[in-house]
Amino acid sequence: MEATLGDLAALLVRWAHLIFGIAWIGASFYFIWLDNSLQTPPPEKADAGVAGDLWSFHGGGIYEVSKYRGAPPAMPRRLHWFYWEAYATWLSGFLLLCLVYYLQAPTLLAGQDSWVPGPGAAVLASLLFLAAGVAVYEALLRSPPGGQQWLFAGLMVALTAGACWLAFQLFAPRAAALHVGMLLGTIMAGNVFLGIIPAQRAFVRSLESGGEPPLAGLARAKLRSTHNNYFTLPVLLCMISNHYPVLYGHRAAPLLLFLLLALAAFARHFFNLRHRGIVRPSILVFAFAGFLAVAGWLAWDGSRAVVSAGPRLSDGEALALVETHCTVCHAQAPSWPGMAAAPLGLELQTLAAVDAAAARAATALGTGYMPLGNVTGMADEERAALLAWLRER
């Protein structure tokens, strides 16, 4: 009952996280598109302070949207703000991190060979990892390099690469890739909480008091919003990475993850340019070629792996190893504490079931990710022998 309730709680929080994330990313995509698509207004609108306007057709009719250079001639009675999507996405994501990884830190968060193998230390390292990443980002953005586009972009590339490397030193591989995404998502939420909303509130307060509108603050808020837009695709990639041990379990996982994140952000650049009328298909071609190169590397590296397994296992001997090291979780009724159902619905209690999942099981074993944290104490010789048997299926 306790395990089932825990799974249901994680399901509901994950569902809410997806809903909030869709709303936040959708708003980011829309407003970047809107800002880049604004046209020069006619003279009468320009004289009224309109910097750009846009006509669009969607669903129920034709819409007209205008953006003012500063303040409109008169403030509206109701002004819509966009921040709950960001806060709800981050809060639900952090709650999911607590439910799934902090509460199961011994098996999911603490890596066997990591710098902080203990579960308590791993949770503390997770919190510090997120806080330190935001602090470094804010320090860079608020320093002189923050105003230099290409220099700041280079620093962000270095920060992301460093985060990818550090995460795999601190946490179990699956948690490491997710932590990079959580860090980028925390920076995004911090942009809203620490920069965008305060600048907008200061602008409104100045209008209400009759002071000079702080346009420089709005320009910095726009810069933060643009950063968030480039982070969206990398964050989504990290969020789904836990389904693919071929990525996070690879010996060069930090480098692979960084390359994919960089390619995702670069692909996003194509769409942001296109919104401004600049079409450069070469960006998408390069990004897609990069993804293919990474995939080719993974396939080639996996195919050339040599396993020294000793004598070939019989089917009975192989099933005995599976029963010892796998079916504690991958069974119709898992015996592992807190496990209500087989992960991913993968049950390995019969030879036919193991045969059907042989390729997936070989990937999980070959990357060293399974058994989780090696809690069952699988010896290297057992792993090699079982892996050789699986690859012959």
Side-chain angles (χ1 to χ4, degrees):
M1 177 66 72
E2 183 178 338
T4 300
L5 291 177
D7 280 353
L8 286 175
L11 171 63
L12 291 175
V13 175
R14 192 183 302 274
W15 187 26
H17 183 56
L18 286 173
I19 294 171
F20 299 145
I22 290 170
W24 186 14
I25 292 175
S28 173
F29 283 5
Y30 173 73
F31 277 103
I32 290 294
W33 169 84
L34 176 64
D35 208 54
N36 287 333
S37 301
L38 292 172
Q39 303 294 311
T40 302
E44 62 273 15
K45 287 189 176 182
D47 293 341
V50 174
D53 67 349
L54 173 76
W55 292 79
S56 59
F57 207 149
H58 184 273
I62 297 175
Y63 297 79
E64 180 187 9
V65 181
S66 298
K67 178 182 179 180
Y68 287 88
R69 295 188 192 90
M75 288 294 288
R77 293 177 57 186
R78 184 176 182 183
L79 184 63
H80 292 277
W81 295 68
F82 291 84
Y83 55 82
W84 70 264
E85 302 95 335
Y87 299 161
T89 300
W90 188 87
L91 288 171
S92 59
F94 184 74
L95 180 56
L96 192 60
L97 181 69
C98 294
L99 287 173
V100 176
Y101 286 90
Y102 289 0
L103 292 182
Q104 302 179 73
T107 53
L108 294 183
L109 183 62
Q112 186 178 19
D113 300 318
S114 69
W115 291 353
V116 282
V123 172
L124 178 60
S126 171
L127 296 172
L128 292 176
F129 179 80
L130 299 178
V134 173
V136 171
Y137 171 84
E138 288 292 327
L140 292 175
L141 186 60
R142 296 168 188 260
S143 66
Q148 302 180 46
Q149 179 180 350
W150 291 109
L151 176 57
F152 184 77
L155 292 173
M156 283 307 302
V157 168
L159 176 61
T160 305
C164 289
W165 175 81
L166 182 59
F168 279 91
Q169 311 311 310
L170 295 175
F171 312 114
R174 179 180 176 184
L178 284 172
H179 267 74
V180 175
M182 188 68 186
L183 171 58
L184 296 178
T186 302
I187 290 174
M188 291 173 66
N191 271 331
V192 177
F193 182 75
L194 299 173
I196 296 173
I197 295 302
Q200 292 176 346
R201 293 196 186 282
F203 182 83
V204 172
R205 285 196 302 268
S206 71
L207 296 181
E208 293 173 345
S209 63
E212 187 68 23
L215 297 181
L218 288 187
R220 289 191 292 271
K222 173 64 166 55
L223 179 63
R224 287 177 179 267
S225 180
T226 302
H227 291 174
N228 279 1
N229 186 264
Y230 280 98
F231 286 150
T232 52
L233 297 186
V235 167
L236 290 175
L237 181 62
C238 288
M239 292 301 101
I240 63 174
S241 66
N242 61 321
H243 297 286
Y244 303 99
V246 67
L247 171 61
Y248 60 74
H250 193 271
R251 54 188 174 83
L255 176 59
L256 286 170
L257 181 62
F258 169 72
L259 290 175
L260 292 177
L261 297 184
L263 289 168
F266 189 53
R268 183 64 205 158
H269 187 54
F270 166 83
F271 296 97
N272 289 341
L273 288 178
R274 185 174 180 275
H275 300 333
R276 292 157 49 193
I278 304 172
V279 181
R280 293 181 180 170
S282 59
I283 294 176
L284 286 184
V285 171
F286 180 87
F288 185 65
F291 277 105
L292 289 180
V294 171
W297 177 17
L298 286 171
W300 173 77
D301 199 50
S303 66
R304 73 186 185 93
V306 177
V307 178
S308 176
R312 185 185 183 281
L313 295 178
S314 66
D315 290 349
E317 291 170 330
L319 283 178
L321 286 177
V322 170
E323 182 178 358
T324 300
H325 299 291
C326 306
T327 57
V328 289
C329 295
H330 292 283
Q332 187 174 13
S335 59
W336 186 259
M339 189 73 68
L344 305 178
L346 190 60
E347 299 175 6
L348 303 175
Q349 294 174 287
T350 65
L351 181 60
V354 175
D355 278 343
R360 297 168 66 188
T363 298
L365 276 177
T367 58
Y369 182 64
M370 287 293 177
L372 279 176
N374 200 21
V375 292
T376 60
M378 175 178 266
D380 292 341
E381 295 78 9
E382 292 177 318
R383 182 184 302 275
L386 184 56
L387 185 56
W389 180 82
L390 285 169
R391 286 178 173 171
E392 293 176 358
R393 308 307 291 174

